[in-house]
Amino acid sequence: MKALVTGGAGFIGSHLVDALISKGYCVHVIDNLSSGRKEYLNSSAVFHEFDISSADAHQLIIKEKPEYIFHLAAQADVSRSIHSPIEDMHINVAGTLNLLDACRHYPVKNFVFSSTSAVYGNTGSELINESQQPSPLSFYGLSKLTAERYIKLFHDTFKTPFVILRYGNVYGPRQTPKGEGGVIAVFHEKLQKNQDLKVHGNGLQTRDYIFVQDVVEANIAAAIKGRNMIFQISTGQRTSILQLIALLKKYHNKEFHYLHSDERQGDIKHSCLDNTLAKRILAWEPYYSFEKGMKETYSSYSF
Ligand code: NAD
């Protein structure tokens, strides 16, 4: 079975490539290494250093005809999307469109797209489900939502099968502090440098943190069992910044401090995603508790 992983040198993509290879898939990777790293790439994967928006990427798909396409390559930095909305649109919208267009040339089995809870914006809901009306607050959220709409319309027009996965805050080994939901990576990096942690506001704001291996398993389940639907990939549990710091205090054997700073403007207070649909249709559920995932993440850093 042949799979293509775009963004396969990145945080989530590199773990997905490892898992697919261990399951016996022949894996091709497209990545331009803009935020990914060559050392994360599994040596059994066939690597193509292309931009997803390029003619090379389009031609490669038509030539290799991968049964499954896992599309993770993206500009995933919210603040960069605000500084450079045009670049963000070129990568996240035009890049996705380029891959979809190549799928018109052969019967792809499934196109699995990595999307985000950033499509929702500030909902005010305690627990968001997939029927919530999206209203993104950042260009990043908007470009991901626009890519979702192209995927849906490609299906309606050309019958291209798809699954859209909207993730909570993904964390784990190999995460860059720059990408989406990077607070856990940011805090680990600060600890490595013996610097104080910075907490915006009172630290009681909560997020739905999901461990990277659970996201990998969701991608694989979605490719096989998902059909033209949107799923939220999350734990459905809220964890505050102060709870996160308490766990770090438990693992870290040196004393460290944290300082409160002003709340960030536009920051969402609480974000939690219902995962009932993914559990029911994909027969998937998160395996890692926050404590277990954090322990693995902490162990992957050298202090
Ligand atoms: P990442 O930055 O680690 O990985 C993205 C990969 O895409 C990198 O290897 C990068 O080099 C590559 N890339 C970027 N632009 C490219 C281009 N134009 N052509 C080819 N390759 C390109 O990010 P990640 O955290 O692993 O995110 C993976 C996907 O999951 C993204 O689509 C992101 O939007 C989505 N997502 C991530 C989170 C999270 O918490 N990390 C949450 C929700 C959604």
Side-chain angles (χ1 to χ4, degrees):
M1 204 61 88
K2 201 184 275 184
L4 169 69
V5 179
T6 72
F11 162 45
I12 305 171
S14 63
H15 288 284
L16 175 61
V17 172
D18 290 346
L20 289 168
I21 284 172
S22 75
K23 286 179 196 288
Y25 283 75
C26 163
V27 181
H28 286 253
V29 168
I30 293 180
D31 199 302
N32 67 357
L33 301 179
S34 54
S35 63
R37 289 164 64 169
K38 222 170 183 173
E39 61 266 32
Y40 293 163
L41 262 177
N42 191 301
S43 56
S44 301
V46 188
F47 177 49
H48 309 272
E49 193 174 338
F50 296 157
D51 193 291
I52 49 164
S53 314
S54 65
D56 285 338
H58 192 274
Q59 281 156 16
L60 179 84
I61 292 173
I62 295 171
K63 178 171 163 263
E64 293 295 336
K65 301 182 175 46
E67 277 100 338
Y68 297 107
I69 296 184
F70 298 91
H71 177 30
L72 290 92
Q75 189 307 103
D77 180 344
V78 173
S79 36
R80 198 166 138 205
S81 83
I82 291 161
H83 287 118
S84 313
I86 296 178
E87 183 205 26
D88 181 80
M89 180 276 290
H90 275 300
I91 300 170
N92 293 352
V93 181
T96 302
L97 188 51
N98 192 42
L99 306 176
L100 283 171
D101 190 71
C103 293
R104 291 167 59 186
H105 296 263
Y106 75 101
V108 67
K109 279 206 164 106
N110 222 338
F111 186 95
V112 182
F113 179 60
S114 284
S115 191
T116 167
S117 56
V119 299
Y120 295 115
N122 212 344
T123 61
S125 306
E126 293 278 300
L127 187 65
I128 301 170
N129 66 39
E130 288 86 351
S131 58
Q132 173 77 42
Q133 193 62 33
S135 182
L137 294 175
S138 64
F139 296 112
Y140 167 66
L142 179 60
S143 66
K144 283 290 193 174
L145 180 64
T146 309
E148 286 190 5
R149 298 249 158 102
Y150 269 102
I151 291 168
K152 169 83 173 47
L153 197 52
F154 256 72
H155 167 260
D156 295 348
T157 312
F158 304 117
K159 306 269 175 290
T160 311
F162 75 89
V163 183
I164 289 166
L165 303 177
R166 292 178 180 160
Y167 308 147
N169 285 49
V170 189
Y171 71 99
R174 302 181 190 163
Q175 183 168 28
T176 134
K178 283 217 151 171
E180 199 194 339
V183 65
I184 292 177
V186 171
F187 280 1
H188 280 86
E189 204 180 74
K190 292 272 184 203
L191 292 182
Q192 276 185 320
K193 294 179 180 164
N194 287 316
Q195 292 173 351
D196 292 338
L197 311 185
K198 189 157 103 185
V199 175
H200 297 285
N202 61 11
L204 296 176
Q205 61 272 42
T206 60
R207 295 291 179 268
D208 187 333
Y209 295 102
I210 175 105
F211 190 60
V212 65
Q213 289 302 342
D214 283 327
V215 172
V216 164
E217 291 307 321
N219 268 272
I220 296 172
I224 296 160
K225 299 183 192 122
R227 268 290 166 272
N228 314 321
M229 283 176 78
I230 298 176
F231 298 98
Q232 296 186 149
I233 302 303
S234 62
T235 61
Q237 281 165 13
R238 295 165 158 208
T239 304
S240 72
I241 296 287
L242 295 185
Q243 284 173 304
L244 161 56
I245 292 175
L247 261 190
L248 285 174
K249 288 224 179 247
K250 192 168 154 185
Y251 301 140
H252 199 53
N253 54 15
K254 276 191 223 154
E255 206 188 344
F256 67 86
H257 301 281
Y258 60 94
L259 305 168
H260 289 276
S261 66
D262 288 345
E263 265 182 40
R264 276 188 305 196
Q265 229 192 346
D267 242 5
I268 298 168
K269 194 82 190 145
H270 302 291
S271 168
C272 191
L273 306 177
D274 186 357
N275 59 14
T276 310
L277 196 64
K279 281 180 171 166
R280 185 159 57 81
I281 309 270
L282 303 179
W284 163 91
E285 64 179 332
Y287 168 76
Y288 284 79
S289 65
F290 189 56
E291 184 144 0
K292 186 173 161 64
M294 277 294 288
K295 202 167 185 179
E296 269 198 32
T297 307
Y298 182 83
S299 320
S300 71
Y301 285 81
S302 46
F303 291 98

